[in-house]
Every structure is written in structure tokens, then in C-alpha cells.
Amino acid sequence: MTGFHVDLSGRGDLATRIYQQILAAIRDGTLRGGDRMPPTRELAERLSVSRNTVAAAYDRLTSEGYLTGRVGSGTFVGTFKKARPRQAPAGSIQPRALWGSIAAGVSSTETPDYDFRVGVPDPAYFPVQTWRRLIGQSLSTELYRAPTGSPALRAAIARYIGQSRSVRAAPDDVIVTQGAQQALDLVGRVLIDPGTVVAVEEPGYPPARALFASLGARVVSVPVDAEGLAVQAIPRGTRLVYTTPSHQFPLGMPMSLERRIALLDWVSRHDAAIIEDDYDSEYRFADRPLAPLQSLDHDGRVIYVGSFSKTLLPALRLGFLVAPESLQPALRTAKQLTDWHGDLTTQATLARFIEDGYLARHVRKTMRGYDRRRTMILDILRRDFADVLDVVPSVAGLHVTAHLHPHATLTPDPPVAVRPLARFCADRPLPGLVIGYGAIRDDRIADGLRLLRASIHTRQ
Amino acid sequence: MTGFHVDLSGRGDLATRIYQQILAAIRDGTLRGGDRMPPTRELAERLSVSRNTVAAAYDRLTSEGYLTGRVGSGTFVGTFKKARPRQAPAGSIQPRALWGSIAAGVSSTETPDYDFRVGVPDPAYFPVQTWRRLIGQSLSTELYRAPTGSPALRAAIARYIGQSRSVRAAPDDVIVTQGAQQALDLVGRVLIDPGTVVAVEEPGYPPARALFASLGARVVSVPVDAEGLAVQAIPRGTRLVYTTPSHQFPLGMPMSLERRIALLDWVSRHDAAIIEDDYDSEYRFADRPLAPLQSLDHDGRVIYVGSFSKTLLPALRLGFLVAPESLQPALRTAKQLTDWHGDLTTQATLARFIEDGYLARHVRKTMRGYDRRRTMILDILRRDFADVLDVVPSVAGLHVTAHLHPHATLTPDPPVAVRPLARFCADRPLPGLVIGYGAIRDDRIADGLRLLRASIHTRQ
């Protein structure tokens, strides 16, 4: 066991004080049945008391059954039910008023029976063997790094997004983050003053909205139509626009090229910036991808954000951002002050995974699985849901969204894990469903959608 | 290679557009010598163009030497020097004015010859074999977790700090963070409104000060004396006090019990909170430790912050906080919005490392090494530096601090990596040295201190 802390400050009989503190630790579970106690001599030395004093305390605890001595092997804690677990005090200090109005929407970590959750890949696809081998090779004992993260990983990411997304980035332009969420946080810290107007898509991604609000922004909703964000509806005074042009979250359509150019033009004229969240466009099942805003931007106003949460696992917490040079020094400082940098062993592992070609192969392979699930779901929706749902056309990502017909309603607690579209609406709740196909097993799709269909009722 | 992105939107001869984009990618290094190009059929399908169009582009690149075909094995990129590396645009958007005045003080990641750096453990002590074995067993494919982190790690930490520091914490009271720095950030986000007064120790820990300033706090310095933070000097209106009572950073003395009680009394009377940063008290070479503020606090005003950066490695980025219940919901939301949670595999590895008794053994073992270094350094300072330095008495941690005598000065760039004490002063620079013994090799201590002594000059 760890050096046991005994507090002898104050007055009173030393043996009794030692007795009481060990007793309290046994009763609240801090010391557990079977834990070995430090030898009396060691504890006496550490506490600068005589060995007899510690022995007296141990003797009393032993006679009361709390400790047991085993000849030749030491003194151990007996087994008891915890009387009252040790816990932090209730507290008399309150958080800032702002936190009363912000909900993070923590998701359940249970795996549901019919797992149509949004925004998660299939954990069974995670390349455990390869990753275990690479992590063993990548274990690092360096003390720390620059806040931008592992140089090997920054180089691998710059090349990867250069090839696959034509993003313009040198290795030094990349900042590795704890998932895309931290990338949004860093940009927010650097650009959002109290009251700064930040425009987000409606419907949109609630954790982004909540984050910007927590940083003191005035968050405004901008509607989306079939071409994406309605640029003409961005309010004057907006300083930052958060958008998902590759695969609008949650609706799924891409932003049209005309709209991309209009958005870039708008931010240039109004001295605003854009966060382009390219959260899942690695999975694309048809059509040519359009160039990202970052590579169309000639004015240096786009911060490109990506993540490996969909291609690998969200639990790895690996994301990144590429910002124009004018923002890089502040972003690096913000990253340093926030948490220094991420886990270097995990970063080195991902660098090898990309550079050795595993990532490209992994995306190609898993693409086939997701494509199969997507096709199965779209076929069933077309066949069995035509009278209640309108599917939003989409060719990328790991979920599909559908609007509910005006006469149709979903029962409040359907037996399958689909998300009501209203959960992604901040203003007017839209009736609809968001159906993820990242984690659903192939053999559960038909049954799951049958249960879902039975949960949608129509009024005449 | 990954699916290569070709943008065909707009007008013009398709083969030429494909040719130009591949050429640009080769010239800027996005495609590297030896990379395999996608087969013409595959690229043609993906771009929805005829195979002849892609073949025409490849032929032209081959005839110009940029691509080489190998019969039966495909088409590869030739080897060229990069013409101009791809990079992010210069940018025309500026960060908030606040960031102009905040410096993070990024440390060099080079290992100096005489490594008396402050706040780093010996990387050679890191238990690589054990950690590699445990990490292989701990590799997890779960998708995500509650923002507080791995339940096994929270339970292990609660027990560990209960035993070794008598901190009152149930597993659910613990939030696992990316190092202690993120713990400070979360508390800051939850308690600091624009203009909130935050008191920090002077001299103190610059990254804490910079972080609070970046969150919009009005940071005020409070002097320390031989008993620690001068409680009577805390300005009225202070809402949060940041302090290092176990081992004042950087001076090294502990806060006296009387001062601890006075500080707790002050925050109760003024409705303020305390961050107790217990950053390195696992290493204690004499005397009994005093009870932490957290366990003396009856009013629920102390947030206890700890880290495994000193006992293991800063690069693991593993820290934690224990807050009173009244702050826990906001802290959990802040953690979720900041980065969801930390790396789960690393967290599960540390949980096993603690529960299986490796951490306690590791601390005991490394304690001997650090004690040896500390004793060597103190002996030499007493013998050879008595005319120029006054060592601050201290019995814990991984560094020792000494004040320079009024007639003594350190040359600006000494050949050994010690930190001038002035680097930790925000107001009046104190002449002195902070000498770390975490990373210095035993056989370098005598030589290093000889060089240091030669760098201190005295005026008559």
C-alpha cells in the first residue's frame, strides 16, 4: 500500500490519534480488507514517534478485529462492510450563473439493443491487433512536447488531409487536439470575447453551440436549406460561423459550391472567420467531393477541423485543426494553457498507423461495411417508410436523416436507439429522425427498422 | 495511399485539370516519391469521368517523368525535391486582444547537458516494461465514457489520495483531467467571470497565472513568507485563491497549520474558493506531512488538484481534481464541452498500475534515487555556495530553491539548466535559483554545480 497519511498535528494521546485515523480509514473503505499495513517500525519512523506508540495502536485494532497479524508476513486489514464511504463535502461555493443554462447532453455509455446511434463508428471494426502492436512500439518516455503535439503525427496529418481533402497545410500548421471538440474550444477561446456573435447551423451540432455559449458568445441560429447554410441569413456583426459543409450535421446534404463561395465572400466582407468541421467525410458513397472551404479560401479566414473519432474510435480523443498563420500563435498558447498537449504515446501510434498505410486500408475496408448497412437501411426506408418519412439525400458520413410527414408521429420511447431530429434543433423542433449506421450490426437492421416502423403512428 | 482528392468543379478540359492537380501535389510534397497512384479505373470511377481521361493525365505525367509505371504493379510517384511546400494561408483574421498579453512560456523539449530543470521527473525511471504490458492488456474499444473518465481510475485515485493524503473523496468525486493544468482550466471556467479577482502566490506558478488571465480574471499577487501564503494580504473581493501548500512553488516551504486554518477561515468569511495544487508532495524526505486543506475544510470550499506528472511522466497528461459537490455538475459539463474526456486506454493502464500496487512500489523506489540527488546537491550547496546562496528549507518535491546574496549575480546564460527565481515572479524579480533534481544524472551533479558556481559572481 501507499504511505498511509496520519495527521498528528494538534494535541492528545498519539497512540489514540493513530488508532482513530486507521479505524476511520478502514470504516470508510480507504483501507480495504487484505491491504497490508506498513510495519510498525516504518510508520513510527515516518511519523517521528516511538515504535511502541504505533504498536499500541496496532494492538488495539488487532484486539478489536480490525487488523490481523500473520506471523512472518506482516499486519493486514480485516474485512468489513464500509460504514460510511469517504466523500467530498457538499460545498458552499456556487459556479458562475452561466453554467445553470448550459447542458452538455452527456450520452449514455451503454450499448443499446438496436444501435442506430448517431456519430459513432463500429467498435468491432477497430484494428485492435495492429494498434496494440504499434502502441507497444510507440511507447515514449519523453517528458513533454510542444503544445501542437507529436511532430510525426502533424506531418502524417498534413499529408493525409492534403491528399484526401486537398487541405493546404504544412506539418507546422497542424495542431493536434483532444478530439474535434477541443479544436472548437481552442478556436472559441482565441476568437470569442464576451458577447461575440457566433453563428451556428439550425438544426446543428448541440455540443458546439453549448461550448460557444459557455465561452460567453451570443450564439445565433442560421437556417440551412438544400444547399446548406443560408448565407444571406447570417446576422450582421457575426464574428465566427460554425459550419459542416461536407455533410451537414445532422441533415446530411453537402453545401453547394455556389454557397461555399458566397460564404467565403460574406466572411471576407464582414471580417469574420469560419470553423469548417469536416467530421465524417472520409466515408463517401457516391459523387465527387467538393473542395473544402479551407482550400477555396484565398483570404485566410477558415479554420479546418477534423477528427479520427469516426475512422477509428471516439475514445482515442484524436482530432486536429489547421488555422491561418495569423491565429496560430494564440492557438498554440491556448493549447499550452489548456492542457499542454495530448497523450504522446497515442499520438505516436496514430502517426505510424497513418504513415504505414494502415489508415487508408482501414477506411477502404470499413467503407464496404458501412456502405452495405447504409444501402440496407435506405432500401427499407424507401420500401416501408414511404408514407411517413422523407429521406434527406446524402452521400457521405455515418448517418441518414429523414423528415416525418405532417400526419406521422414517433412514440416517445421507441425500442430502438434513433435520435429525434428535434434533439438537434435549438429554435423550432423539426419532426424527424436521425438514423446512424455506424454501430448497428447488419443482422439487426431489418428487425430494428420493423420495430421503428411500428413506433411511428399516423393520424387520418 | 489515401483516396486522392481531385476537384473537377468549374469548367475546362478534365484531363488537364487532373494533370495539374496531381502535378501540384507532387511538387508541394503531398504526394511523395514512391507513393502508389490509384489505378486509372478506380480514380475514373470515383471522379465519374471516363478511364481515358485519367489515362491521358497519367500519360502526360509519365512522359514528363513525374510518374513511373511498373508493369504489373501499378503507377508510382517519382522522386523530386519539393518546389514549394503546401501551407496554410497567412490569414487576415486576428485573435482577441487579450492573447497579445499572454505568454505560455513553452519550455524547450531538448534535454540539456546539465539537466537541473524544474518540475520534471527522471524519464529513465519510467517503468517502461510494466507500462507496456499493462497498456496491452488495457486497450479498450469502448466508444466513449462519461466526462469524468474511467470508473476504475477514479476509484483507484480516490483510494490512493485517501490513503496517502487523507483527501476526502468517493470515486464519483474525482474528475480525471489532462494533467493538473486542465484541472485548473476547468475550475477557472466554472468560477471565473470576466473581471473575477483570482489571488495567486508571488513568486508562483506562471502557467496558472497565465491561464486565469486568459479566462478573463483579474489576477492579483499575494506574497508568501516562511509560513506560506500571507493570508492577511489577500485583497477583498477575491473569489478564488490558487495555492501550493504542501511545497510552495517555487520556494519549497510548506504552509504552516496555523496559516492553513487562517486561509480556510478567510475564504469562509469572504465566500471564496481555494485551488489546492498538490503537485509533487508524493516525494517527502523528512517530517510528517500536514493535512491538506481539503481534509481540514469543513465548509466545502477547497478544490484539490493532483497529477501523475512527477511520479510517472508529464507526457502521460494524467491529473485529477476533487471538488465539493456544489461544483461537480458544472465541472462535469465543462469537461464534456472542453474535450469529452481523456484517453481511455492510458486511463485504464494507470488504474491497473495503481490497483496492482505498482505505483506505491514505484514511488518508494524512485524516492531513494531522488533523495540521493537531493542530499548530494544540498551538501554541495552548503559547502561551496554558502557565501552566495541561502537555501530555502524544504523537505518535499523535486526541486530546491535558493536566494542569491545581495552582492552575488548569476551570469545571463549559465552553462547548466537552472532557472532564475525571477522567472517565477510576476511583480518584483527576486534574485535566486531554482534547482531541479528530478532529471539530473547522479554523475553530473558535482560537475554541474561546479559550472554553476563559476557562473555566480560577487561584487565587493
Side-chain angles (χ1 to χ4, degrees):
Chain A
M1 60 160 282
T2 341
F4 184 71
H5 178 93
V6 179
D7 182 13
L8 296 183
S9 54
R11 294 154 186 283
D13 166 13
L14 288 176
T16 305
R17 296 177 64 90
I18 295 172
Y19 161 83
Q20 283 168 338
Q21 287 180 58
I22 295 175
L23 179 62
I26 293 174
R27 290 174 60 90
D28 70 17
T30 300
L31 290 172
R32 278 191 305 204
D35 277 352
R36 179 203 291 266
M37 293 299 293
T40 50
R41 177 160 44 196
E42 186 190 309
L43 188 56
E45 231 172 62
R46 195 144 52 74
L47 301 177
S48 313
V49 299
S50 91
R51 193 174 166 187
N52 284 343
T53 305
V54 175
Y58 277 30
D59 283 348
R60 182 164 166 200
L61 289 160
T62 305
S63 73
E64 293 173 1
Y66 290 107
L67 297 181
T68 53
R70 298 186 206 145
V71 175
S73 65
T75 305
F76 294 82
V77 176
T79 304
F80 294 90
K81 253 181 52 190
K82 286 186 209 180
R84 41 157 193 88
R86 192 178 285 227
Q87 60 182 62
S92 44
I93 189 97
Q94 295 304 319
R96 305 160 64 196
L98 171 144
W99 288 100
S101 61
I102 289 170
V106 177
S107 306
S108 160
T109 56
E110 311 264 298
T111 304
D113 283 342
Y114 295 94
D115 192 352
F116 293 104
R117 279 181 296 173
V118 179
V120 295
D122 193 334
Y125 285 173
F126 184 73
V128 176
Q129 298 306 328
T130 306
W131 197 265
R132 180 176 290 134
R133 186 166 49 77
L134 295 180
I135 215 171
Q137 293 165 8
S138 307
L139 194 57
S140 150
T141 61
E142 55 189 340
L143 289 168
Y144 41 68
R145 271 284 169 196
T148 44
S150 147
L153 181 55
R154 286 185 278 128
I157 289 174
R159 240 167 67 77
Y160 172 68
I161 58 179
Q163 287 184 9
S164 67
R165 300 292 290 130
S166 75
V167 170
R168 293 172 297 159
D172 283 346
D173 296 322
V174 176
I175 298 180
V176 181
T177 57
Q178 287 286 108
Q181 187 72 20
Q182 190 182 52
L184 306 187
D185 183 42
L186 295 176
V187 176
R189 293 169 87 118
V190 162
L191 291 179
I192 298 173
D193 276 303
T196 294
V197 179
V198 177
V200 300
E201 295 172 332
E202 170 73 7
Y205 183 57
R209 187 180 185 107
L211 170 68
F212 299 139
S214 83
L215 291 170
R218 192 156 74 75
V219 181
V220 296
S221 302
V222 176
V224 295
D225 60 26
E227 293 194 60
L229 185 84
V231 173
Q232 80 286 355
I234 301 173
R236 271 173 165 281
T238 295
R239 172 87 172 144
L240 178 64
V241 180
Y242 170 78
T243 180
T244 51
S246 295
H247 184 231
Q248 202 275 333
F249 190 88
L251 293 179
M253 68 288 173
M255 187 185 291
S256 70
L257 183 62
E258 294 68 25
R259 202 58 72 77
R260 287 171 197 238
I261 289 164
L263 177 58
L264 288 167
D265 184 54
W266 194 96
V267 293
S268 280
R269 282 187 291 110
H270 296 87
D271 193 24
I274 296 170
I275 296 178
E276 175 173 34
D277 187 350
D278 205 5
Y279 63 99
D280 72 354
S281 71
E282 291 87 353
Y283 293 108
R284 165 166 297 279
F285 307 100
D287 291 5
R288 300 194 286 261
L290 291 171
L293 292 166
Q294 201 268 359
S295 76
L296 298 170
D297 164 33
H298 295 296
D299 198 20
R301 295 185 173 274
V302 175
I303 300 112
Y304 180 86
V305 170
S307 137
F308 296 92
S309 292
K310 307 299 183 293
T311 45
L312 289 165
L313 268 187
L316 293 176
R317 311 307 305 127
L318 282 165
F320 59 90
L321 65 83
V322 174
E325 273 177 50
S326 57
L327 294 178
Q328 290 179 12
L331 286 167
R332 281 194 283 265
T333 304
K335 174 66 179 160
Q336 174 86 9
L337 291 181
T338 302
D339 66 356
W340 293 19
H341 55 64
D343 185 294
L344 293 184
T345 297
T346 305
Q347 292 188 11
T349 307
L350 178 59
R352 281 175 194 238
F353 193 80
I354 298 174
E355 279 299 316
D356 294 354
Y358 291 110
L359 180 65
R361 277 205 289 282
H362 180 72
V363 169
R364 270 202 301 277
K365 195 177 121 189
T366 52
M367 178 92 79
R368 288 194 289 274
Y370 294 133
D371 197 9
R372 194 173 55 239
R373 293 174 186 173
R374 177 175 177 272
T375 305
M376 285 172 70
I377 290 172
L378 289 175
D379 286 349
I380 295 173
L381 293 183
R382 212 170 285 129
R383 193 186 66 202
D384 300 337
F385 290 74
D387 58 328
V388 288
L389 289 183
D390 275 327
V391 174
V392 180
S394 162
V395 296
L398 296 183
H399 70 263
V400 61
T401 299
H403 295 289
L404 269 169
H405 287 190
H407 60 276
T409 49
L410 181 69
T411 54
D413 277 303
V416 299
V418 298
R419 277 288 178 111
L421 178 54
R423 297 281 286 274
F424 305 98
C425 302
D427 298 348
R428 196 170 49 90
L430 293 173
L433 300 176
V434 187
I435 303 170
Y437 45 83
I440 184 81
R441 278 166 39 190
D442 294 24
D443 61 1
R444 297 239 134 186
I445 290 176
D447 283 353
L449 292 183
R450 199 171 307 123
L451 286 169
L452 177 62
R453 184 63 187 84
S455 309
I456 299 176
H457 301 291
T458 53
R459 290 183 308 267
Q460 291 315 317
Chain B
M1 61 160 281
T2 343
F4 184 70
H5 178 93
V6 179
D7 182 15
L8 295 182
S9 53
R11 293 156 186 284
D13 167 12
L14 288 176
T16 305
R17 296 176 66 90
I18 296 170
Y19 160 85
Q20 283 168 338
Q21 288 179 59
I22 296 174
L23 178 61
I26 294 173
R27 290 173 60 89
D28 69 19
T30 301
L31 290 172
R32 281 192 304 205
D35 277 351
R36 178 203 290 267
M37 295 297 296
T40 50
R41 178 160 42 197
E42 186 191 310
L43 187 56
E45 231 172 61
R46 195 145 51 76
L47 301 177
S48 313
V49 299
S50 92
R51 192 173 166 188
N52 285 342
T53 304
V54 176
Y58 276 30
D59 284 349
R60 184 165 164 198
L61 289 160
T62 306
S63 72
E64 292 173 2
Y66 290 106
L67 297 180
T68 54
R70 297 186 207 145
V71 176
S73 65
T75 305
F76 294 82
V77 177
T79 305
F80 295 90
K81 254 182 50 191
K82 286 185 206 179
R84 44 161 189 86
R86 191 179 286 226
Q87 61 182 60
S92 44
I93 190 95
Q94 295 304 318
R96 306 161 63 196
L98 170 144
W99 288 99
S101 61
I102 289 170
V106 177
S107 306
S108 160
T109 57
E110 311 263 299
T111 303
D113 283 342
Y114 295 94
D115 192 353
F116 293 102
R117 280 180 296 173
V118 179
V120 294
D122 193 334
Y125 285 173
F126 184 73
V128 176
Q129 299 307 328
T130 306
W131 196 264
R132 180 177 289 132
R133 185 166 50 76
L134 295 180
I135 214 172
Q137 294 166 9
S138 307
L139 194 58
S140 150
T141 61
E142 57 189 340
L143 289 168
Y144 42 68
R145 270 287 168 194
T148 44
S150 148
L153 180 56
R154 284 185 279 128
I157 289 173
R159 241 167 68 77
Y160 173 68
I161 58 180
Q163 287 185 10
S164 66
R165 299 292 290 129
S166 76
V167 170
R168 292 171 298 159
D172 283 347
D173 295 322
V174 176
I175 299 180
V176 181
T177 58
Q178 288 287 109
Q181 188 71 21
Q182 190 183 50
L184 307 187
D185 184 41
L186 295 176
V187 176
R189 293 169 86 119
V190 162
L191 290 180
I192 298 172
D193 277 303
T196 294
V197 179
V198 177
V200 299
E201 296 171 332
E202 168 73 9
Y205 183 56
R209 188 180 183 106
L211 169 68
F212 300 138
S214 84
L215 292 170
R218 191 156 75 74
V219 181
V220 296
S221 302
V222 176
V224 295
D225 59 27
E227 292 194 59
L229 186 85
V231 173
Q232 81 286 357
I234 302 173
R236 270 171 167 282
T238 295
R239 171 86 173 145
L240 178 64
V241 179
Y242 170 79
T243 182
T244 51
S246 295
H247 185 230
Q248 201 275 334
F249 190 89
L251 294 181
M253 68 287 175
M255 187 184 291
S256 70
L257 183 63
E258 293 66 26
R259 203 59 72 76
R260 286 172 199 238
I261 288 163
L263 177 58
L264 288 167
D265 185 54
W266 194 96
V267 294
S268 280
R269 282 187 291 110
H270 295 87
D271 193 24
I274 296 169
I275 296 178
E276 174 175 32
D277 188 349
D278 205 5
Y279 63 98
D280 71 356
S281 71
E282 291 87 352
Y283 294 108
R284 165 167 296 280
F285 307 100
D287 291 4
R288 300 194 286 260
L290 292 170
L293 292 167
Q294 201 267 359
S295 75
L296 297 171
D297 166 33
H298 294 296
D299 198 22
R301 297 186 172 274
V302 175
I303 300 112
Y304 180 86
V305 169
S307 138
F308 297 92
S309 291
K310 307 300 182 292
T311 44
L312 289 165
L313 266 188
L316 293 175
R317 311 306 307 124
L318 282 165
F320 60 89
L321 65 83
V322 173
E325 273 177 50
S326 56
L327 294 178
Q328 290 181 12
L331 286 167
R332 283 194 282 265
T333 304
K335 174 66 179 160
Q336 173 85 7
L337 291 181
T338 300
D339 67 355
W340 293 20
H341 55 64
D343 186 297
L344 293 185
T345 297
T346 305
Q347 292 188 10
T349 306
L350 177 60
R352 282 176 193 238
F353 193 79
I354 298 175
E355 280 296 317
D356 294 353
Y358 291 110
L359 180 64
R361 277 204 289 282
H362 180 72
V363 170
R364 270 201 301 276
K365 195 178 122 188
T366 53
M367 178 95 77
R368 288 194 289 273
Y370 294 134
D371 197 9
R372 195 172 56 238
R373 293 175 187 173
R374 176 174 177 274
T375 305
M376 286 172 69
I377 290 173
L378 289 176
D379 286 349
I380 296 173
L381 292 183
R382 216 170 283 131
R383 193 186 66 202
D384 300 338
F385 290 73
D387 59 327
V388 288
L389 289 183
D390 275 327
V391 174
V392 179
S394 161
V395 296
L398 296 183
H399 70 263
V400 61
T401 300
H403 296 289
L404 268 170
H405 288 188
H407 60 275
T409 50
L410 180 69
T411 54
D413 277 303
V416 299
V418 297
R419 278 289 177 109
L421 178 54
R423 296 283 285 276
F424 305 98
C425 303
D427 298 346
R428 195 171 50 92
L430 293 173
L433 300 176
V434 187
I435 303 171
Y437 44 82
I440 184 79
R441 280 168 36 192
D442 294 21
D443 61 2
R444 297 238 133 187
I445 289 177
D447 284 352
L449 292 184
R450 198 171 308 124
L451 288 168
L452 178 63
R453 185 62 188 85
S455 309
I456 300 177
H457 300 291
T458 53
R459 291 183 307 267
Q460 291 317 318

